[in-house]
Amino acid sequence: AAGFSQQCSTCHSTTVWTGATFNHSTTPFPLTGSHTSVQCSTCHKNNVYAGLSTDCVSCHLTDFNAATNPNHVQSGFPQQCSMCHTTTVWTGASYNHSTTPFPLTGAHTSVQCSTCHKNNVYAGLPTTCVSCHLANYNSTTNPNHTQAGFPQDCSLCHSTTTFSGATFDHSKTLFPLTGSHVSVTCATCHANNVYAGLPTTCVSCHLANYNSATNPNHAQAGFPQQCSTCHSTTSWAGATFNHSTTAFALTGAHVSVQCNLCHINGTYAGTPKDCYSCHSAEYKNTTNPGHQAAGIPTTCATCHTTASWAGATFTHTWFPTGHGSAKTCSDCHLNPSDYSVFTCTTCHTKSQTDSRHSGRSGYVYNSANCYQCHRSGGGN
């Protein structure tokens, strides 16, 4: 009746005729798990063996229709039982959510299906966070998400590992956090729960610091309110200013001078750049040579450098400073009050010069005449 093959050895052995066995693995439906101990007639009803369907539901349709946790029929579950069930045991079905557009991670992996799939709805559910967490969004007060106008994409700040301890990547905004800003609580800058449209200027948070600063007095000095010009986010104290961005770059000893030594009475704007405005006392008190008496110009940089005030040098335009035995300015400039006056006759005696200028037309023994012919200090 079943149409079995008449090749008895397929199921029987020569040891004993009864207790025949059949190797189901030679068919398109190998038996595994609990299927191996099921009576043949359980699946092969009415003695039908040939042409039976291998679909799970061909035997388990009653189980499929009767399932209530969840309701398979109402949920529109596919009738391919092996997607969730195994042949080892029918209960304790599991579903591989990673095969869907919404893989489960973190705390989502241990949530009961019905928590998200309410009213037995499985097909067509939205994958947005807020579809499940709208109540969390609306009830949050630290900060108040609704009032602050936060986006409803929870994953921007929350993770599936734990809902609390949310973090926000500020580097994706127009104001990346650096230095001490990283550890500041959100409410410190986002007062009154205002997050959207806040200014990114330093002074929007630090105006009180600006107005109360006294060393120097920022408001009185007319400092710009762009704090980052001098301050960093690492530490508010120890501000530095890049003087090279001004018309008076600091070099040499000027680098280590306190600001208030040049910027008297907190005056920063319009401070003169000429040397004499700061160094008039040095100019007037100098005696070697006496600058004021000698009529030396007040352009200090002509002889001095910012590396050291002492050891000034002057470039003689026409006459070499190392001429003969002269070592200092006073060797030739005998009058410290007038450096336009010089003498050659201190070193060059009349007897020496007369003998060398015998027969020279216009020769006169005096310093002015010496310089007229010997401007480079040479003998010819």
Side-chain angles (χ1 to χ4, degrees):
F4 279 9
S5 164
Q6 292 183 344
Q7 182 60 36
C8 307
S9 60
T10 303
C11 303
H12 299 271
S13 72
T14 59
T15 305
V16 60
W17 184 256
T18 57
T21 59
F22 176 69
N23 185 3
H24 224 283
S25 63
T26 62
T27 73
F29 193 83
L31 301 183
T32 59
S34 296
H35 284 171
T36 58
S37 58
V38 172
Q39 290 294 315
C40 302
S41 58
T42 304
C43 296
H44 297 281
K45 292 179 172 60
N46 301 319
N47 219 33
V48 177
Y49 285 84
L52 281 186
S53 171
T54 58
D55 294 336
C56 305
V57 78
S58 65
C59 280
H60 293 288
L61 181 59
T62 302
D63 302 288
F64 179 89
N65 290 331
T68 58
N69 182 27
N71 189 308
H72 289 27
V73 176
Q74 182 182 331
S75 301
F77 281 7
Q79 293 182 340
Q80 184 59 36
C81 309
S82 60
M83 292 182 68
C84 303
H85 299 272
T86 69
T87 59
T88 305
V89 60
W90 185 255
T91 58
S94 61
Y95 177 67
N96 185 4
H97 225 281
S98 62
T99 61
T100 73
F102 192 84
L104 299 183
T105 59
H108 285 169
T109 58
S110 58
V111 172
Q112 290 294 315
C113 304
S114 58
T115 304
C116 297
H117 297 281
K118 293 179 172 59
N119 301 320
N120 224 34
V121 177
Y122 285 82
L125 281 187
T127 58
T128 58
C129 306
V130 79
S131 64
C132 278
H133 294 289
L134 182 60
N136 305 98
Y137 177 91
N138 289 331
S139 63
T140 300
T141 58
N142 182 28
N144 189 308
H145 288 28
T146 306
Q147 181 183 330
F150 280 8
Q152 292 185 339
D153 183 1
C154 309
S155 63
L156 289 172
C157 304
H158 300 272
S159 72
T160 59
T161 305
T162 175
F163 205 72
S164 58
T167 58
F168 177 69
D169 188 359
H170 225 282
S171 63
K172 294 179 179 178
T173 71
L174 297 175
F175 192 84
L177 300 184
T178 58
S180 297
H181 285 169
V182 174
S183 57
V184 172
T185 61
C186 304
T188 304
C189 298
H190 298 281
N192 301 320
N193 218 39
V194 176
Y195 286 82
L198 281 188
T200 57
T201 57
C202 306
V203 79
S204 63
C205 277
H206 293 289
L207 182 59
N209 304 97
Y210 176 92
N211 289 330
S212 62
T214 58
N215 183 27
N217 189 309
H218 289 28
Q220 179 184 326
F223 280 8
Q225 292 184 339
Q226 183 58 37
C227 309
S228 61
T229 302
C230 303
H231 299 272
S232 73
T233 59
T234 304
S235 173
W236 186 255
T240 59
F241 177 69
N242 185 3
H243 224 282
S244 63
T245 61
T246 70
F248 191 84
L250 301 184
T251 58
H254 285 168
V255 174
S256 57
V257 171
Q258 291 293 315
C259 304
N260 59 1
L261 292 181
C262 296
H263 298 284
I264 313 296
N265 299 323
T267 301
Y268 285 80
T271 300
K273 300 184 291 293
D274 64 286
C275 308
Y276 185 75
S277 62
C278 276
H279 294 289
S280 60
E282 287 90 347
Y283 176 89
K284 293 174 182 177
N285 295 330
T286 299
T287 58
N288 182 28
H291 287 29
Q292 193 169 22
I296 293 176
T298 57
T299 53
C300 309
T302 303
C303 303
H304 299 272
T305 69
T306 58
S308 174
W309 187 256
T313 59
F314 177 71
T315 301
H316 256 256
T317 307
W318 294 101
F319 201 82
T321 53
H323 175 73
S325 60
K327 302 298 181 186
T328 64
C329 303
S330 58
D331 287 338
C332 298
H333 299 280
L334 303 182
N335 183 357
S337 299
D338 188 357
Y339 265 65
S340 63
V341 177
F342 58 89
T343 179
C344 301
T345 56
T346 301
C347 296
H348 301 284
T349 63
K350 188 174 187 305
S351 60
Q352 291 175 327
T353 58
D354 284 352
S355 63
R356 293 182 179 181
H357 290 78
S358 177
R360 292 284 184 179
S361 174
Y363 162 70
V364 179
Y365 179 68
N366 64 51
S367 298
N369 283 71
C370 293
Y371 182 65
Q372 287 299 317
C373 293
H374 301 282
R375 293 192 174 223
S376 63
N380 295 323

